[in-house]
Amino acid sequence: MLTIAFDNSYARDLEGLYLPWQGAVVPDPAMVWLNEGLAEELGLDPEALRSPEGVAMLAGSAMPEGAAPLAMAYAGHQFGGFSPQLGDGRALLVGEVLNRQGQRRDIHLKGSGKTPFSRGGDGKAGLGPVLREVLIGEAMHALGIPTTRALAATTTGETVWREKPQIGSVLARVADSHLRVGTFQFFYARQETARLRQLADYTIARHYPELVGTDDRYLAFYHAVIARQMALIAQWVGVGFVHGVMNTDNCAISGETIDYGPCAFIDAHDPASVFSSIDTQGRYAFGNQPVLARWNLARLGETLMTLIAPEDPQQALPEVQSALEAAEIRYDTLRRKKFGAKLGVSEVDDALIDGFLNMLTAQSADFTLAFRKLGQAARGDDAPLIAHLNDDPRLFAWLETWRARLDAADKMDAVNPIYIPRNHRVEEALSAAQTGDLAPFLRLLSAVSDPFTKREGFEDLEGPAPAGWGDYVTYCGT
Ligand code: AMP
Ligand code: MG
């Protein structure tokens, strides 16, 4: 029996921000993959989730007792252009549960059918993009990066039409919440200030409870969201992650990475790396992410000015601006800390970090492998790194400076992953999955779920795509 103790605070408290809605009934819901560990953390019985009732819920086809499925409304800037109404066009919030630690978690579906927010889309998802979100989300989680996580992938028994026919699929994912910058923009654009305040108070209670009831809580909340976002971006940059579609509707107030669409990990280090087919201007290029995160946070700031200074929102402008200036400094500090750990030095400065990264860029050297080879250098063997950097003449002087500061050599391998979801391996795993062979997907998932520990027999998952594999292009179309 599937019994879930739902506690649906969003449905209860945020009138006007959703439409109650049901998923599409699908012909043949079937489980492809279940995250048993996560199910246990949520206090859900994996056996019950595997039962016909459980699979029907995870595929969006039938809801259990206590669920209050709804499509969330939100607005958002997409590539800089504002849409006052986006919303869950292919997704549903099934409900919220408290996990074993008592923390509130959303259970959310992607691909569960059309909603009033579908804007001409079919509301569906294909198996490839669903498994991609599983792989990348689990990798991010294992890398210690805040992220939504996949609970299950199911198939629906339908065909979904994209460039090529796809196996119809639904992703069930779990998040601290799905509140986004775009959620705040939704009420702000409608000048519904009372509801905006209600949303802010709800969000503060849910994610920043230490601020409940304090004076100046909206400004403090803004600082707190900025802090989490800057920490998140420093983590992304530290593992070579490119989100690809950092629109304000994909910027989570909880500080989690959300919406794995056209994302990718870099092989060769290059701040200009762009993978998404629609990011023709390079707005969301690897090296632009800190700037674009601040741009998104400026949009959040605009909405909060009406709460910080209700009489005259413009009065709040200097405070919002100085919060954004502090964000830049905060990011630089967090980046230094992240790269300091990766380099094994506690006394770190930008010259040391950029000296190394610039050599990687100049040599088109693989980012992830470079830090493992630096770990070997820390243990006395420079040869692999020298070869990796094609004997870059700057390396010898750099190594000397670095070595003089190296004080955490033994910790480097615990922060520099061996296994990331390399683009060519992800594509290989997804292609096999489309033909019914899940083995490469499961093998890659197992490697990226334990990314710091070298394993026999997984050598093929360590390196970048072979030369000639070509430029990698990603698509939004889940
Ligand atoms: P995303 O790229 O996931 O951030 O989605 C941006 C917006 O497009 C959201 O409002 C989605 O719900 C909507 N959307 C994306 N794909 C579809 C689809 N196949 N059907 C309906 N809406 C979609
Ligand atoms: Mg989105």
Side-chain angles (χ1 to χ4, degrees), residues 265-268 366-370 417-428 444 448 460-465 469 472:
F265 281 78
I266 55 170
D267 283 337
D366 186 80
F367 175 77
T368 303
L369 284 180
I418 310 179
Y419 308 111
I420 54 164
R422 300 263 185 190
N423 304 322
H424 64 303
R425 295 303 180 199
V426 171
E427 290 307 313
E428 201 173 73
L444 182 57
V448 300
D460 58 307
L461 301 182
E462 289 181 23
W469 193 67
Y472 186 53

Side-chain angles (χ1 to χ4, degrees), residues 74 78 86-91 110 114 117-125 162 180 245 247 249-250 259 262 476-478:
Y74 49 84
Q78 300 184 300
L86 293 169
D88 284 338
R90 54 171 162 183
K110 203 163 167 180
K114 278 190 193 164
F117 304 118
S118 296
R119 296 175 299 145
D122 62 0
K124 303 285 181 175
R162 295 291 179 262
R180 318 138 192 268
V245 61
N247 295 331
D249 54 303
N250 290 337
D259 267 358
C476 276
T478 301

Side-chain angles (χ1 to χ4, degrees), residues 67 91 162 168 251 277 381 388 433 459:
R162 295 291 179 262
C251 179
S277 64
D381 183 7
H388 189 66
E459 292 74 14

